[in-house]
């Protein structure tokens, strides 16, 4: 009989217990051989495996792995079943490579489009982020590999990310920055949570008891362990008491010593250390046990899956008719990204792989296209000859497809963007091409919104975000109509940076990031101010059309403790198979005063349905009073005032097809 965790904890020395609370190296926990406690391996990351090659001494020397769509793109699928499939594939790949915990998903809120890490994150909306994260976690963990949802919490900028103090009021935290974690913890039970580098209201996340214990464990029932982001520990003794169990990657024993001294001096109750070790061992033993199961994965199948997911994540932002392309048309591809696509971001999520380009995919499909580089992929530099070649070729073609995007140096972990623009050389070329070619299509490869001053002058815009290694096949399929675009924007695309909610405050003064916009993040802000935007939250077009009918409620009133069903029938009214993502927004029309202001509407449900031409399907959602509620800091609780609410069913946040009144209370 193997010893129980309690028996192991009782048998461990103080030194061994302190040791188990930090990593052995960059990626491993410590083993205690005399008691048969194994080490486990953790590795990045949220859209592909970045794990150190066996025998290598360089933590960045990663094995080759499959790169799936980054968070920005995966979120545009609006489909938790899809993030689940992606998670399951990652879980298989992790296990086949000896990794027991995958460091993801990353669910921080896209407070500003400037955040350098937005490409890894899902959304400006915590409901959407939470549902997608739960899918991802369930997928990974269904394969016997753990996850580490990150970065907990309010870690929404890269500027001074190691020390910045995010100053966020209680309602804003509750409504904006906690729910993605809360949903994921409650629905998917991640094995671990990764606390962030920053301070939150004065206290480092790594030693923030309200965050790591009262909320995470007390309110949400988290039963795994918390690990630090890499090097995020400030005061180790304070941290363990606050609920930070594992320090990663470790401090060469310095902090272990501090824990030992604190126990010896009586500053730290040994029971606190025992509790931390128990939580770690619960997971370590489970992980080690599951790691015994046979493991294999099919690289080619995973590549195909990456391409399929990328195709479901592409967002058709505009189409006056240039798409889909047709055989027989004279098509020119312009822009270096056609040949060398940008499909992932820099930093800890970077996967060692190669991608298929749109040009490769065109060749594979025997498409007759011309290619002109036009501008480089890695810098903002105009080459006059290339520029003119591109304009001439565009003029002579039936359709010009410009592959635009952000160079690697424009967005990456560790730095925020300074502006929201594409390189000038790209904007100028797009404008020139659009002036001579009415069928101009822009394909965007960027992890985050960019200003699109030419948007009204081109025929079509297809946003691929950072779509992973299948980007070329997916883009090809979407452009040529072999796949029907079904992605939706998981974030608002503003007209310009100056319109964004925290424009005046971001990224703060170097010490403090003041979340003065409060709950008004993303569409909550643009809707409250009735601002025009480039493309609204939830937007995305298709090659077919959808009709909504028969929207109804199961009852017109809802009482405390009850629930109500909202249904609508959606029909594919066009000629090709396609997907509609029905979105449900709730508006509080009670008129009751709300401290901090009333948000015009919030997303409380979404459902993606694939329909054949002419096919119709009933879509339904179940709402409870909590879905009507805002967080009331005076009550320290979620609160829905009695009165009237509107349930708004829409194609996007700004294209509402049916509104239903509901009385509460
Ligand atoms: C990042 C984490 C990552 C870790 C390990 C940190 O710098 O913030 O997201 O998982 O490194 O690579």
């Amino acid at each position: 009989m193997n010893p129980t965790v309690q028996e192991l904890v009782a048998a461990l020395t103080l030194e061994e217990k302190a040791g188990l609370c930090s990593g052995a190296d960059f990626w491993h926990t410590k083993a205690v051989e005399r008691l048969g406690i194994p080490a486990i391996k953790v590795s990045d990351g949220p859209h592909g495996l970045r794990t150190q090659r066996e025998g290598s001494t360089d933590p960045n020397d990663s094995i080759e792995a499959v790169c799936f769509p980054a968070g920005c793109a995966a979120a545009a699928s609006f489909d938790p079943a899809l993030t689940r499939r992606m998670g399951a594939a990652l879980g298989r790949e992790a296990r086949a490579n000896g990794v027991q915990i995958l460091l993801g998903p990353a669910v921080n809120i896209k407070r500003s489009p400037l955040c350098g890490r937005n490409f890894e994150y899902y959304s400006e909306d915590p409901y959407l982020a939470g549902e997608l994260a739960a899918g991802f976690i369930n997928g990974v963990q269904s394969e016997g590999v753990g996850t580490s949802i990150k970065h907990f919490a309010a870690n929404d900028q890269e500027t001074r990310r190691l020390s910045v103090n995010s100053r966020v009021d209680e309602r804003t935290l509750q409504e904006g920055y906690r729910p993605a974690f809360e949903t994921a913890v409650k629905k998917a039970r991640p094995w671990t949570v990764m606390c962030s580098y920053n301070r939150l209201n004065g206290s480092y996340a790594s030693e923030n008891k309200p965050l790591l214990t009262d909320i995470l464990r007390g309110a949400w029932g988290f039963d795994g362990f918390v690990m630090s982001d890499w090097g995020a520990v400030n005061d180790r003794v304070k941290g363990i008491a606050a609920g930070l169990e594992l320090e990663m990657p470790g401090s060469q024993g310095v902090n272990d010593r501090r824990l030992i001294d604190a126990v010896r001096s009586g500053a730290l109750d040994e029971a606190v250390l025992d509790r931390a070790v128990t939580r770690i061992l619960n997971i370590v033993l489970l992980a080690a046990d599951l790691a015994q199961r046979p493991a294999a994965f099919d690289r080619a199948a995973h590549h195909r899956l990456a391409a399929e997911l990328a195709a479901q994540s592409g967002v058709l932002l505009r189409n006056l008719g240039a798409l889909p392309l047709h055989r027989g048309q004279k098509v020119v591809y312009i822009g270096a990204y056609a040949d060398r696509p940008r499909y992932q971001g820099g930093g800890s999520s970077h996967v060692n792989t190669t991608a298929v380009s749109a040009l490769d995919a065109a060749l594979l499909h025997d498409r007759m296209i011309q290619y002109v580089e036009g501008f480089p992929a890695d810098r903002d530099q105009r080459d006059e000859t290339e520029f003119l070649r591109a304009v001439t070729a565009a003029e002579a073609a039936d359709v010009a497809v410009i592959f635009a995007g952000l160079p690697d140096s424009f967005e990456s972990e560790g730095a925020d963007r300074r502006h929201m623009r594409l390189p000038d050389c790209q904007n100028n070329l797009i404008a020139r091409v659009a002036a001579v070619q009415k069928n101009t299509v822009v394909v965007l490869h960027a992890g985050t919104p960019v200003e699109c001053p030419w948007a009204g002058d081109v025929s079509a815009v297809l946003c691929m975000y950072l779509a992973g290694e299948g980007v070329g096949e997916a883009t090809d399929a979407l452009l040529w109509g072999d796949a029907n675009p079904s992605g939706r924007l998981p974030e608002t695309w503003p007209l310009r940076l100056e319109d964004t909610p925290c424009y005046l405050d971001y990224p703060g003064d170097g010490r403090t990031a003041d979340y003065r916009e409060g709950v008004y993040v993303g569409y909550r802000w643009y809707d409250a101010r009735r601002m025009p935007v480039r493309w609204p939250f939830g937007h995305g077009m298709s090659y077919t059309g959808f009709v909504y009918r028969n929207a109804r409620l199961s009852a017109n009133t809802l009482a405390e403790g009850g629930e109500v069903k909202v249904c609508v029938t959606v029909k594919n009214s066009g000629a090709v198979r396609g997907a509609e993502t029905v979105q449900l927004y709730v508006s509080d029309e009670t008129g009751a005063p709300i401290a901090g202001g009333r948000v015009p509407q919030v997303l409380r449900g979404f459902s993606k349905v694939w329909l054949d031409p002419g096919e119709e399907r009933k879509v339904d959602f179940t709402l409870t009073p909590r879905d009507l509620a805002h967080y009331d800091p005076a009550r320290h609780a979620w609160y829905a005032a009695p009165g009237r609410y509107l349930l708004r069913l829409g194609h996007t946040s700004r294209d509402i097809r049916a509104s239903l009144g509901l009385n509460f209370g």
Side-chain angles (χ1 to χ4, degrees):
M1 266 275 280
N2 288 333
T4 63
V5 168
Q6 280 88 334
E7 286 163 350
L8 287 173
V9 175
L12 286 161
T13 65
L14 177 59
E15 285 75 7
E16 286 166 338
K17 287 190 281 193
L20 281 169
C21 293
S22 67
D25 58 25
F26 228 74
W27 305 119
H28 293 88
T29 63
K30 294 198 190 84
V32 179
E33 272 157 30
R34 72 177 186 91
L35 294 173
I37 297 174
I40 61 167
K41 186 174 190 187
V42 306
S43 287
D44 288 301
H47 55 260
L49 193 60
R50 183 181 76 118
T51 188
Q52 192 174 332
R53 204 180 295 282
E54 266 325 305
S56 169
T57 49
D58 175 2
N60 291 318
D61 180 9
S62 314
I63 62 159
E64 276 178 39
V66 179
C67 180
F68 291 94
C72 53
S77 73
F78 263 67
D79 191 352
L82 219 108
T83 51
R84 189 188 166 109
R85 281 173 71 201
M86 172 170 150
L90 275 166
R92 281 192 295 282
E93 203 169 324
R95 208 148 59 77
N97 285 290
V99 171
Q100 283 84 44
I101 294 181
L102 195 68
L103 304 174
V107 299
N108 295 91
I109 294 298
K110 302 188 189 201
R111 181 178 168 236
S112 164
L114 296 185
C115 174
R117 257 186 127 165
N118 275 0
F119 71 89
E120 283 183 71
Y121 301 150
Y122 286 137
S123 181
E124 68 187 20
D125 181 84
Y127 175 79
L128 176 62
E131 295 295 322
L132 295 167
F136 179 93
I137 293 166
N138 278 325
V140 176
Q141 295 190 171
S142 70
E143 293 293 329
V145 168
T147 52
S148 194
I149 185 169
K150 62 191 187 182
H151 311 84
F152 193 49
N155 174 200
D156 311 295
Q157 66 183 55
E158 290 300 281
T159 306
R160 303 261 176 147
R161 68 168 171 162
L162 302 183
S163 61
V164 70
N165 179 28
S166 300
R167 195 150 63 197
V168 197
D169 67 64
E170 191 185 349
R171 177 176 168 211
T172 301
L173 266 177
Q174 290 279 1
E175 289 186 22
Y177 296 91
R178 286 181 190 153
F181 291 97
E182 178 180 359
T183 303
V185 165
K186 288 183 174 167
K187 281 197 161 174
R189 298 185 59 199
W191 291 7
T192 78
V193 168
M194 187 190 293
C195 75
S196 54
Y197 287 120
N198 55 292
R199 284 174 289 158
L200 175 56
N201 293 327
S203 150
Y204 279 99
S206 61
E207 54 197 46
N208 195 314
K209 182 167 174 295
L211 196 63
L212 303 185
T213 296
D214 305 345
I215 294 159
L216 184 60
R217 292 186 186 276
W220 303 344
F222 174 65
D223 58 1
F225 70 78
V226 177
M227 71 172 81
S228 71
D229 198 347
W230 268 230
V233 168
N234 176 53
D235 178 330
R236 184 64 184 111
V237 176
K238 213 170 153 191
I240 204 156
L244 169 62
E245 280 85 28
L246 180 68
E247 172 182 21
M248 286 304 287
S251 60
Q252 260 105 34
V254 174
N255 278 334
D256 298 356
R257 195 74 248 158
R258 290 198 174 113
L259 290 178
I260 296 164
D261 292 346
V263 169
R264 294 231 165 96
S265 71
L268 179 70
D269 186 348
E270 192 164 356
V272 172
L273 182 61
D274 288 356
R275 194 179 60 197
V277 174
T278 304
R279 289 171 176 164
I280 292 170
L281 288 185
N282 282 336
I283 298 292
V284 165
L285 297 189
L286 169 72
D289 190 31
L290 291 168
Q292 304 300 319
R293 289 206 225 144
F297 84 100
D298 177 344
R299 173 108 184 41
H302 281 200
H303 174 82
R304 284 194 299 277
L305 178 63
E308 185 193 331
L309 301 188
Q312 292 215 36
S313 306
V315 190
L316 183 60
L317 293 172
R318 175 180 170 87
N319 190 14
L320 299 184
L323 291 180
L325 305 172
H326 299 291
R327 282 190 192 272
Q329 281 177 320
K330 199 170 165 203
V331 177
V332 58
Y333 281 7
I334 297 168
Y337 297 114
D339 187 27
R340 295 188 299 284
R342 181 145 181 279
Y343 59 95
Q344 64 170 330
S348 62
S349 67
H350 194 87
V351 179
N352 178 8
T353 191
T354 44
V356 174
S357 73
L359 277 181
D360 297 335
L363 257 171
L364 280 172
H365 287 98
D366 257 341
R367 310 208 191 273
M368 297 301 293
I369 48 161
Q370 190 194 349
Y371 168 61
V372 180
E373 185 173 281
F375 52 78
D378 56 354
R379 59 194 184 280
D380 186 2
Q381 196 179 349
R382 175 159 160 172
D383 174 320
E384 218 47 51
T385 317
E386 276 302 307
F387 189 93
L388 289 174
R389 273 185 68 214
V391 177
T392 312
E395 200 169 5
D398 296 321
V399 187
V401 184
I402 307 178
F403 290 77
L406 291 175
D408 275 324
S409 59
F410 276 50
E411 55 175 348
S412 164
E413 177 177 340
D416 289 324
R417 288 194 298 167
R418 295 216 187 90
H419 61 76
M420 235 181 82
R421 297 188 302 276
L422 285 172
D424 287 344
C425 66
Q426 298 187 27
N427 277 334
N428 294 339
L429 184 59
I430 296 170
R432 266 301 286 282
V433 166
V436 299
Q437 174 52 264
K438 70 174 178 9
N439 290 324
T440 295
V441 178
V442 176
V443 175
L444 285 170
H445 296 297
T448 180
V450 291
E451 289 170 4
C452 304
W454 34 258
D457 304 326
V458 299
S459 178
V461 183
L462 174 67
C463 173
M464 294 305 294
Y465 279 111
L466 299 182
E469 67 177 55
V471 60
E473 290 115 308
T475 309
D476 179 90
L478 293 169
L479 286 176
W480 293 84
D482 291 347
N484 192 351
S486 65
R488 298 308 184 84
L489 289 182
E491 65 204 317
T492 310
W493 280 48
L495 286 166
R496 42 177 212 148
L497 180 64
E498 291 80 355
D499 294 348
T500 59
C502 54
Y503 173 66
L504 294 177
D505 297 305
Y506 193 91
D509 62 7
R511 290 158 176 265
T512 307
D514 226 333
Y515 286 41
R516 276 200 302 162
E517 71 284 359
V519 292
Y520 294 99
V521 173
Y523 65 86
R524 291 162 167 80
W525 166 265
Y526 302 104
D527 289 350
R529 298 178 74 92
R530 294 179 188 243
M531 285 168 80
V533 298
R534 180 67 69 196
W535 290 295
F537 177 84
H539 172 69
M541 300 167 76
S542 165
Y543 295 147
T544 187
F546 300 95
V547 174
Y548 286 50
R549 66 171 185 86
N550 203 14
R552 60 214 177 272
L553 292 175
S554 57
N556 293 329
T557 56
L558 174 66
E560 203 59 74
E563 58 178 47
V564 65
K565 275 207 160 39
V566 191
C567 308
V568 67
T569 301
V570 185
K571 180 175 179 175
N572 180 345
S573 56
V576 288
R577 182 174 164 76
E580 172 65 340
T581 298
V582 181
Q583 298 160 42
L584 171 64
Y585 297 87
V586 173
S587 293
D588 175 343
E589 307 260 298
T590 61
I594 298 180
R598 173 175 270 94
V599 171
Q601 59 173 357
V602 290
L603 183 74
R604 286 289 184 248
F606 61 91
S607 177
K608 185 170 185 172
V609 281
W610 284 90
L611 298 169
D612 285 325
E615 187 185 351
E616 61 177 24
R617 184 101 49 92
K618 197 176 95 185
V619 173
D620 49 40
F621 305 94
T622 303
L623 294 183
T624 66
R626 162 85 188 250
D627 295 309
L628 309 180
H630 63 275
Y631 186 83
D632 181 1
R635 292 179 168 84
H636 297 294
W638 289 83
Y639 173 71
R644 185 179 152 84
Y645 292 80
L646 264 192
L647 310 183
R648 313 177 80 226
L649 291 156
H651 169 73
T652 81
S653 61
R654 291 200 168 176
D655 179 0
I656 299 298
R657 302 286 174 88
S659 285
L660 304 163
L662 175 74
N663 289 312
F664 173 65

